[in-house]
Amino acid sequence: MLNTTDNNNHTIMNSDEINLAIEMAGKAVHEATHFFFTSGAGLGVDSGLPDFRGKNGFWKAYPPMQKLGLEFHQMSTPSWFEKDPTFAHGFFCHRYNLYTSKKPHEGYHILKEFSDRVNNNNNYFIFTSNVDGHFSQLFPNNKIEECHGSIHYLQCTEPCCEEIYSVEEHNQFFPNNKYPIEVDMDTFRIKEENLPKCKFCKSKVARPNILMFYDGKWISNRCDLQYEERCKFLKEMVKNSNEKQVHLVIIEIGAGNNVTTVRDKSELLATKYSSRHKENMKSTLIRINPTDSYFPKDSKLGDCNISIPLGGKDALIKIKAVVDRLDGK
């Protein structure tokens, strides 16, 4: 697939090349026996969520941080819960309100339609770095791995134990101090007397169960269980290849280059399950990103790498139109 980039590594494709890429992606979806959906923050943009691309993107969503000169990676660290917990919770409670006020856009529903094509055998899985919980509104929890955790769960800041609990559980346990706590938008803080306490020790401050930057206290047990479900999916897929041809289609949406966890996972699976490495298998990697849809130069990833420099919802709508046409709809 043509993969031309400018000096900033932004993908350059004309309209004919983009249309060809969409046609190829639609055919791959139509032929797929298994799906692996991966996503970064860019997927949520069409739902009205910020992607925090660069400091200006972060400051647009959080103007008080601009006054303090704080960027996203500086604010999203566990150290704030130690040195200034009212400010830390002001930030994360605002994020919680933002994420829960938005709904999954049409692109999510299209991914659900794609998964339904192979759902008789549960032949799909989702890997996301997003902490907004939008996938869980449409897909069962045992089909999702949230590698950075979820804002819908809390843990002790210490931590006092290796347990986490949902926001709903927190609010049942602390009915007079429900999460999220009200944020003073002038100071971007919550009141000190309203700091949420850990459900288990009832003394330490609670925090979101999100993997932050420089985070040595994140409790990963929920993510570990999700990882085990991913391993089961991949093991079963390989087992299926002993009986019939398997075509794994990886659809990556909105995964940028600042934190490459999602891109790395997409490329690893595309390579590992390609025809070069597995008999009776082939892989297609569809990378959707308006600026970062390129592949590594001279890459030998999947059997077919498709770059689509569009937003997630727009690209998925166009791909679905090709699939519908091939289905005779």
Side-chain angles (χ1 to χ4, degrees):
M1 187 66 200
L2 182 65
N3 187 32
T4 306
T5 60
D6 63 15
N7 291 333
N8 294 315
N9 271 336
H10 293 168
T11 308
I12 303 171
M13 296 171 66
N14 61 40
S15 59
D16 289 339
E17 291 167 338
I18 293 173
N19 289 336
L20 175 59
I22 290 167
E23 185 74 19
M24 293 173 63
K27 289 180 179 178
V29 169
H30 186 258
E31 298 171 358
T33 63
H34 295 71
F35 287 110
F36 197 88
F37 305 138
T38 65
S39 75
L43 177 60
V45 170
D46 291 312
S47 290
L49 297 177
D51 64 359
F52 305 135
R53 185 182 295 275
K55 62 183 180 182
N56 291 327
F58 177 56
W59 288 344
K60 182 178 179 180
Y62 296 93
M65 305 305 170
Q66 184 172 10
K67 297 178 182 178
L68 297 171
L70 292 171
E71 298 183 35
F72 177 72
H73 69 277
Q74 296 170 314
M75 192 63 227
S76 189
T77 66
S79 63
W80 286 104
F81 289 96
E82 300 174 8
K83 62 186 180 184
D84 198 345
T86 63
F87 188 50
H89 272 293
F91 173 60
F92 279 98
C93 285
H94 184 275
R95 283 183 71 183
Y96 182 94
N97 286 327
L98 177 64
Y99 292 162
T100 55
S101 69
K102 307 297 182 181
K103 299 295 182 184
H105 57 71
E106 185 179 354
Y108 283 90
H109 293 270
I110 292 173
L111 291 176
K112 183 65 170 64
E113 286 186 41
F114 291 170
S115 73
D116 288 342
R117 300 177 66 88
V118 298
N119 199 29
N120 287 338
N121 297 311
N122 290 317
N123 289 345
Y124 75 93
F125 200 81
I126 298 161
F127 181 89
T128 181
S129 61
N130 296 345
V131 301
D132 52 39
H134 281 190
F135 272 114
S136 63
Q137 296 183 39
L138 294 174
F139 296 88
N141 287 328
N142 69 336
K143 304 301 292 183
I144 308 167
E145 182 178 352
E146 297 160 304
C147 64
H148 290 169
S150 170
I151 205 164
H152 297 274
Y153 288 82
L154 300 171
Q155 66 167 83
C156 184
T157 51
E158 189 58 27
C160 65
C161 64
E162 290 297 308
E163 299 296 324
I164 68 172
Y165 54 100
S166 69
V167 168
E168 289 78 7
E169 290 177 275
H170 174 90
N171 292 341
Q172 291 171 5
F173 201 82
F174 298 103
N176 297 322
N177 194 32
K178 291 185 176 182
Y179 196 90
I181 316 298
E182 183 179 358
V183 180
D184 184 325
M185 294 307 295
D186 291 328
T187 62
F188 227 68
R189 296 176 181 276
I190 67 170
K191 293 180 179 179
E192 187 166 0
E193 59 266 29
N194 291 339
L195 282 169
K197 299 297 184 181
C198 168
K199 169 187 172 182
F200 300 107
C201 67
K202 305 178 187 63
S203 60
K204 301 295 183 180
V205 174
R207 53 161 271 193
N209 180 235
I210 292 175
L211 178 61
M212 306 177 197
F213 293 92
Y214 317 111
D215 195 348
K217 295 183 177 181
W218 179 58
I219 298 174
S220 65
N221 55 14
R222 179 172 176 269
C223 187
D224 293 340
L225 292 173
Q226 294 175 330
Y227 165 77
E228 291 177 8
E229 293 295 332
R230 168 162 59 92
C231 291
K232 290 179 185 178
F233 161 75
L234 295 172
K235 184 177 180 180
E236 188 64 26
M237 181 180 70
V238 173
K239 182 180 177 181
N240 290 344
S241 71
N242 294 328
E243 301 173 359
K244 60 181 180 180
Q245 175 74 33
V246 165
H247 184 184
L248 172 64
V249 174
I250 303 158
I251 303 180
E252 176 196 284
I253 310 160
N257 271 310
N258 290 334
V259 179
T260 62
T261 307
V262 173
R263 293 172 77 94
D264 292 344
K265 184 63 63 182
S266 301
E267 293 174 7
L268 174 65
L269 294 185
T271 303
K272 184 175 181 179
Y273 298 104
S274 69
S275 60
R276 296 192 309 278
H277 298 280
K278 296 285 184 182
E279 285 189 29
N280 221 23
M281 294 190 72
K282 69 176 182 176
S283 65
T284 297
L285 172 51
I286 303 168
R287 174 162 283 164
I288 300 171
N289 194 304
T291 59
D292 298 330
S293 67
Y294 61 89
F295 292 93
K297 290 184 178 180
D298 303 319
S299 63
K300 295 180 180 179
L301 302 175
D303 296 289
C304 182
N305 305 321
I306 303 172
S307 171
I308 302 180
L310 298 174
K313 184 174 77 169
D314 186 20
L316 289 170
I317 289 172
K318 293 178 185 299
I319 293 170
K320 179 182 181 298
V322 174
V323 176
D324 287 347
R325 189 190 78 234
L326 295 173
D327 284 339
K329 293 182 181 179

